[in-house]
Amino acid sequence: PNAQLEQISSMTSSMASADVVAKRAFLSLLALQDPKPQPKAAQAPKVSSELKTKAEWREQGILLSSDGFYCWVCNAGPSGEANMQQHVDSAQHKRRLVLAGIKQDSTILPPVPKEYEDRGISISPTKDGTLQYTCKLCKAGPFPTLESVKSHLGGSKHSLKEGREPELSLSTELAKEGFVLVEGQPGQLHCERCSAGPFDRQGLRQHRLSLQHREAEVNSEMDE
């Protein structure tokens, strides 16, 4: 019986050793098929084109709220992304950006010519914060365009502030009497009925009182 027990013990030990070897071989095979992942080099985070677009919008006064996009420059919104893109591309928005001093564009707000600057015209912020042409001498404005500034400079208020006679303008009454503006000579009138002129303010007064102009006016009324 002792011999049989020794034989059984030896067989059991051999089977255990074989089992350990088999397990080690199996684990080695798994390691070859599924190697441990190697750490990768750190990469800079990518910024999507959408985030870049929104950053550009922020520079133009566009803000994103829970209910959509708002433009604080134009006081517009809320709006979806597509509609806000149309707003950003609009001429109105671009003009307001310039008037708000956020961007510069000489086609929207041309600089003040030196001759206008010498007469008191400047670009100044108005009560609502937008940039417009104003007249320091008359404390007048704002004027939206240089053309409106030109009209102001030729008006009686500004002329009197400068201590000179206002430039002549062609009124309806003067036009009926046959007077026309002289091209290239602001504040000068020509009388077509009498083929006379050009006249400044004082010369105009004298010509309207003259016998020549009165006769021409009477003849014109008779022809009508």
Side-chain angles (χ1 to χ4, degrees):
N2 292 333
Q4 289 180 351
L5 289 174
E6 290 178 359
Q7 185 178 3
I8 291 171
S9 176
S10 176
M11 291 176 63
T12 303
S13 177
S14 298
M15 290 175 64
S17 298
D19 187 48
V20 170
V21 172
K23 285 182 178 181
R24 287 178 178 174
F26 179 70
L27 291 174
S28 298
L29 181 62
L30 286 179
L32 290 174
Q33 292 179 351
D34 188 19
K36 292 182 179 180
Q38 298 296 323
K40 295 182 180 179
Q43 296 180 350
K46 294 182 179 180
V47 180
S48 68
S49 58
E50 181 181 0
L51 290 177
K52 289 182 179 178
T53 301
K54 300 303 177 291
E56 294 172 2
W57 280 11
R58 285 196 294 271
E59 294 175 359
Q60 298 195 46
I62 308 301
L63 301 175
L64 177 60
S65 184
S66 58
D67 54 350
F69 292 95
Y70 284 86
C71 175
W72 65 265
V73 178
C74 304
N75 194 24
S79 176
E81 185 172 350
N83 289 337
M84 185 53 69
Q85 183 62 61
Q86 293 179 354
H87 173 77
V88 168
D89 295 335
S90 68
Q92 177 191 11
H93 177 71
K94 292 177 181 178
R95 175 176 174 78
R96 287 185 179 272
L97 285 177
V98 174
L99 297 183
I102 298 175
K103 290 194 173 183
Q104 293 183 350
D105 189 336
S106 60
T107 62
I108 296 176
L109 190 67
V112 178
K114 183 66 167 58
E115 57 183 296
Y116 288 4
E117 187 177 349
D118 292 341
R119 299 178 65 183
I121 303 301
S122 65
I123 296 178
S124 307
T126 57
K127 291 181 179 179
D128 62 358
T130 59
L131 298 176
Q132 297 279 6
Y133 302 107
T134 58
C135 178
K136 296 178 181 177
L137 184 61
C138 304
K139 297 182 180 179
F143 306 105
T145 64
L146 284 178
E147 191 63 31
S148 58
V149 170
K150 181 180 179 181
S151 298
H152 169 74
L153 293 175
S156 58
K157 180 179 180 180
H158 189 87
S159 297
L160 292 173
K161 285 282 186 179
E162 290 181 320
R164 60 184 181 82
E165 286 281 343
E167 291 182 358
L168 278 174
S169 59
L170 185 62
S171 64
T172 304
E173 182 181 358
L174 290 174
K176 287 181 179 179
E177 292 185 23
F179 290 98
V180 295
L181 288 170
V182 179
E183 187 176 354
Q185 299 183 39
Q188 299 285 313
L189 296 180
H190 177 81
C191 181
E192 291 188 330
R193 286 182 183 174
C194 305
S195 299
F199 301 110
D200 58 13
R201 187 174 295 276
Q202 184 177 357
L204 176 65
R205 293 194 192 102
Q206 294 175 351
H207 179 73
R208 294 181 73 188
L209 295 174
S210 68
L211 181 60
Q212 178 190 12
H213 185 73
R214 289 181 179 183
E215 288 179 349
E217 196 170 356
V218 171
N219 292 334
S220 177
E221 292 175 355
M222 291 177 64
D223 292 340
E224 292 177 359

